[in-house]
Amino acid sequence: MNPSTEPVLADKGEDGVLVVTLNRPEARNAVNDALAAAAAAIMRDFDADPRLRVCVLTGAGGGFSAGLDLKAFLRGEVGEDPERGFAGITRVPPRKPVVAAVEGFALAGGFEIVLACDLVVASRDARMGLPEVRRGLVADGGGLLQMPRRLPANVAMEIALTGAEVLPGRLHELGLVNVVAEPGQALDQALILARAIARNAPLGVLASKDVLTASPSWDPDQAWERQHGLVSPVWKSDDAEEGARAFAEKRAPRFSGR
């Protein structure tokens, strides 16, 4: 198959960063079953490949994603992977960090994909939101579950119930968007962020994400114990020894992920 016709593209960089591109620009990168299956397979491989440390997720053709392909929906497609959910990511995201690079638009399910990512870089003129209620639908691809965790409750309610678009500048002020980039620069800025993460110790990065993701649901009386269970292997790792040795020798560490 010609790579340009594949619904999702994956570019494995030598710097440990995987760039994943939703590749249906003729359909505004809308999600059909083929795209969801391809994205899910790529995300599984990403988590399994020790050479890859961070994923940057973007869209082809100047836009991120318009969400579910409604033409495919009328044919009975739902754009979901049975295990990983909508677009192969919203129900079960990768354990490793994912950075969204948003140009143009991330609407409906496209915004739900963004909410499934750990960090967000968006061009200042990008349009984002959940317009499902305007189409007789409900944003059940993870957006209604993620927004209250990522945004103030009243703002999440506003976005969900009005279906109005929200600019990245406002989402940056509210803490969802990490970096507001100039138009056309979202991918470059996301790569800067991803490479800064990829330079760090893989085990430490994974454990940090695990704690940050899981701890909001922990019983406060058990939080320290549960954190210890996740992070104690890192302190005993080869990378912990290498980090200390590199600091003492005043050189850059060479982390192995062990």
Side-chain angles (χ1 to χ4, degrees):
M1 179 182 289
N2 186 328
S4 65
T5 67
E6 295 179 1
V8 186
L9 306 177
D11 182 12
K12 299 180 180 181
E14 295 182 358
D15 53 7
V17 177
L18 172 70
V19 177
V20 174
T21 306
L22 307 178
N23 188 44
R24 300 187 70 221
E26 74 288 350
R28 293 164 56 86
N29 298 322
V31 179
N32 59 7
D33 286 355
L35 185 148
I42 288 170
M43 294 304 169
R44 291 186 189 98
D45 290 344
F46 166 57
D47 262 342
D49 190 337
R51 298 169 297 177
L52 299 175
R53 301 184 177 183
V54 186
C55 172
V56 173
L57 181 59
T58 191
F64 188 78
S65 174
L68 176 64
D69 186 332
L70 294 181
K71 293 181 180 179
F73 172 73
L74 293 174
R75 298 193 298 268
E77 299 187 26
V78 294
E80 292 186 3
D81 174 78
E83 175 193 358
R84 303 189 82 98
F86 182 73
I89 189 174
T90 63
R91 185 182 303 160
V92 182
R95 186 184 173 207
K96 297 176 182 178
V98 181
V99 183
V102 181
E103 294 281 356
F105 50 84
L107 297 169
F111 189 47
E112 293 181 295
I113 297 170
V114 170
L115 289 165
C117 298
D118 302 297
L119 300 98
V120 182
V121 177
S123 66
R124 59 178 170 79
D125 60 350
R127 296 149 44 222
M128 307 170 82
L130 296 175
E132 279 85 348
V133 291
R134 297 185 176 188
R135 300 171 184 167
L137 302 171
V138 178
D140 65 346
L144 300 180
L145 301 174
Q146 288 289 349
M147 279 202 304
R149 303 173 187 173
R150 309 285 294 274
L151 291 166
N154 61 321
V155 175
M157 193 72 74
E158 175 190 345
I159 292 172
L161 300 189
T162 66
E165 296 177 359
V166 189
L167 291 176
R170 186 184 183 200
L171 295 175
H172 179 263
E173 292 173 356
L174 294 168
L176 176 63
V177 172
N178 297 83
V179 178
V180 178
E182 290 302 307
Q185 296 299 309
L187 179 57
D188 288 343
Q189 292 297 313
L191 286 169
I192 291 172
L193 196 55
R195 287 166 181 154
I197 297 169
R199 286 193 291 269
N200 296 327
L203 297 179
V205 168
L206 287 177
S208 296
K209 178 180 173 178
D210 285 344
V211 172
L212 289 167
T213 301
S215 58
S217 65
W218 289 348
D219 183 326
D221 293 334
Q222 299 177 348
W224 286 95
E225 180 180 353
R226 297 189 68 171
Q227 176 182 255
H228 177 73
L230 290 173
V231 307
S232 60
V234 179
W235 287 89
K236 302 171 185 177
S237 68
D238 292 345
D239 278 353
E241 184 176 343
E242 166 61 13
R245 182 180 295 110
F247 178 80
E249 296 175 358
K250 298 181 180 180
R251 59 171 175 81
R254 296 181 290 271
F255 295 122
S256 64
R258 299 191 297 271

